[in-house]
């Protein structure tokens, strides 16, 4: 049973009471999580959508999670939101867990396991009256158990605050991060970087603003330390992708004579020197659904929804297509099932 994907195990637990008790036991679920089977059957794509209707439920947002291949509803939950224009950000999945950040710091961050149908709101944090928090960005990781990191920008003191949530304490604690906020030449915004690393050992953020990126902020989940990578040149509007904890690619999307193209560059490290190496320009990105929804896709949503979502195969290291998003408030993510509860 430890060799089977979670989707099969959730069906098998209905065969008999003994199998159900085995599969539901904490000991079996811990072994299955540590076993970390790399099974393609355990990977699915989940569509997450955010809907609101002020006439029916004012100031409420309904979050729906459903499987992409058969549109089966996995779970849904509501949260209060008085600023609908702040579309939540999605990070993960890591060990089958997805983190939903409503971005409004008065609304809790949510952790969910779609396969188990579990969702948990994390406790809110408070800051002194001297702080003025402008933005919250989060990441989820795993080291024996899941961890959540939130990075907050303080506009008054022009610095970053960082906090770590652990389930054992069910609370946040402060992390040391030495970084001041500056304008024009440096950064004032922090946004999560998508990654092919599903083990959750590292998390990365872009640091920039007004359409540029000047640094990368990395966090080691095991040692609980931050690292700041200063980019050799300030990047314009682009998407950065983490291939592992040390190497990155960035994609610059453009249009020329009606053809959508992607410029691809990858990072190169020689000692402490960080540089970008231009790889190619891919001008053959069709606007269609993937022929086969295989494991290894990541979706880059652009500001203009008519461009759709660019689908990148990080195993083949190529763009396969552009996929239509049902709405500007929908997201697709790759998710591998797990028994990690929230």
């Amino acid at each position: 049973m430890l060799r089977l994907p979670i989707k099969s195990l959730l069906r098998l637990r209905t065969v008999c009471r003994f199998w159900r008790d085995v599969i539901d036991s904490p000991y079996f679920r811990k072994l299955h999580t540590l076993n970390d089977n790399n099974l393609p059957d355990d990977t699915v794509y989940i569509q997450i959508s955010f809907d609101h209707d002020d006439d029916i439920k004012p100031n409420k947002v309904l979050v729906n999670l459903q499987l992409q291949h058969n549109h089966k509803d996995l779970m849904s939950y509501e949260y209060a939101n008085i600023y609908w224009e702040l579309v939540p950000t999605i990070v993960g999945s890591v060990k089958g867990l997805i983190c939903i950040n409503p971005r409004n710091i008065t609304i809790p961050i949510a952790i969910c396991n779609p396969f188990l149908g579990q969702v948990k709101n994390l406790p809110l944090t408070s800051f002194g009256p001297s702080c003025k928090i402008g933005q919250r960005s989060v990441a989820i990781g795993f080291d024996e158990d899941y961890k959540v990191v939130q990075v907050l920008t303080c506009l008054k003191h022009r610095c970053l605050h960082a906090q770590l949530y652990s389930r054992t304490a069910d609370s946040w604690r402060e992390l040391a991060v030495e970084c001041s906020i500056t304008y024009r030449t440096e950064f004032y915004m922090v946004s999560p970087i998508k990654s092919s690393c599903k083990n959750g050992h590292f998390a990365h953020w872009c640091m920039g603003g007004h359409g540029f990126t000047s640094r990368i902020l990395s966090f080691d989940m095991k040692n609980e330390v931050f690292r700041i990578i200063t980019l050799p040149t300030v990047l314009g509007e682009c998407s950065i992708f983490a291939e592992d904890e040390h190497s990155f690619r960035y994609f610059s999307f453009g249009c020329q004579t009606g053809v959508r193209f992607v410029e691809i560059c990858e990072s190169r490290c020689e000692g402490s020197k960080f540089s970008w190496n231009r790889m190619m320009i891919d001008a053959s990105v069709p606007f269609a659904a993937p022929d086969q929804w295989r494991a290894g896709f990541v979706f880059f949503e652009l500001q203009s929804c008519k461009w759709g979502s660019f689908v990148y195969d990080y195993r083949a290291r190529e763009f396969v297509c552009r996929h239509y998003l049902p709405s500007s408030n929908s997201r697709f993510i790759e998710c591998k099932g797990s028994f990690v509860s929230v």
Side-chain angles (χ1 to χ4, degrees), residues 109-245:
I109 298 166
I111 301 292
C112 64
N113 186 328
F115 281 86
L116 300 183
Q118 297 178 349
V119 62
K120 176 182 179 179
N121 287 328
L122 303 186
L124 291 172
T125 56
S126 59
F127 295 89
S130 63
C131 290
K132 182 181 178 182
I133 303 301
Q135 183 205 20
R136 176 179 67 187
S137 187
V138 304
I140 184 170
F142 198 90
D143 178 44
E144 298 183 358
D145 200 356
Y146 73 82
K147 299 178 179 180
V148 179
V149 179
Q150 62 174 348
V151 178
L152 306 106
T153 58
C154 179
L155 301 180
K156 186 172 183 179
H157 300 107
R158 304 180 75 170
C159 66
L160 288 182
H161 294 290
Q163 296 180 330
L164 178 71
Y165 173 85
S166 63
R167 177 160 53 172
T168 53
D170 191 29
S171 62
W172 298 90
R173 61 181 173 86
E174 292 288 332
L175 294 170
V177 53
E178 296 294 333
C179 192
S180 60
I181 298 176
T182 55
Y183 297 89
R184 300 181 184 274
T185 58
E186 295 292 340
F187 81 100
Y188 72 97
M189 293 182 63
V190 180
S191 56
I193 292 177
K194 297 183 180 185
S195 172
S196 63
C197 309
K198 303 304 178 185
N199 55 23
H201 294 168
F202 288 83
H204 310 280
W205 295 266
C206 289
M207 302 168 68
H210 291 305
F212 65 81
T213 300
S214 61
R215 303 179 190 177
I216 294 175
L217 178 67
S218 296
F219 184 73
D220 184 336
M221 291 288 175
K222 183 175 181 61
N223 298 310
E224 298 182 357
V225 293
F226 283 99
R227 176 190 175 209
I228 296 178
I229 303 171
T230 301
L231 303 182
T233 57
V234 175
L235 301 179
E237 189 169 348
C238 66
S239 296
I240 297 181
F241 179 71
E243 295 195 310
D244 56 40
E245 58 266 31

Side-chain angles (χ1 to χ4, degrees), residues 243-274:
E243 295 195 310
D244 56 40
E245 58 266 31
H246 301 297
S247 61
F248 304 88
R249 282 194 160 200
Y250 87 76
F251 311 115
S252 178
F253 302 94
C255 178
Q256 190 172 17
T257 63
V259 178
R260 307 297 184 189
F261 67 89
V262 184
E263 181 182 0
I264 304 173
C265 298
E266 69 176 6
S267 64
R268 181 173 56 194
C269 292
E270 297 177 358
S272 60
K273 187 177 180 181
F274 186 94

Side-chain angles (χ1 to χ4, degrees), residues 287 300-302 304-310 322-325:
F287 194 48
F300 292 97
E301 302 85 11
L302 303 185
S304 176
C305 61
K306 65 182 180 180
W307 280 40
S309 178
F310 280 73
R322 286 183 291 138
H323 185 55
Y324 173 73
L325 292 173

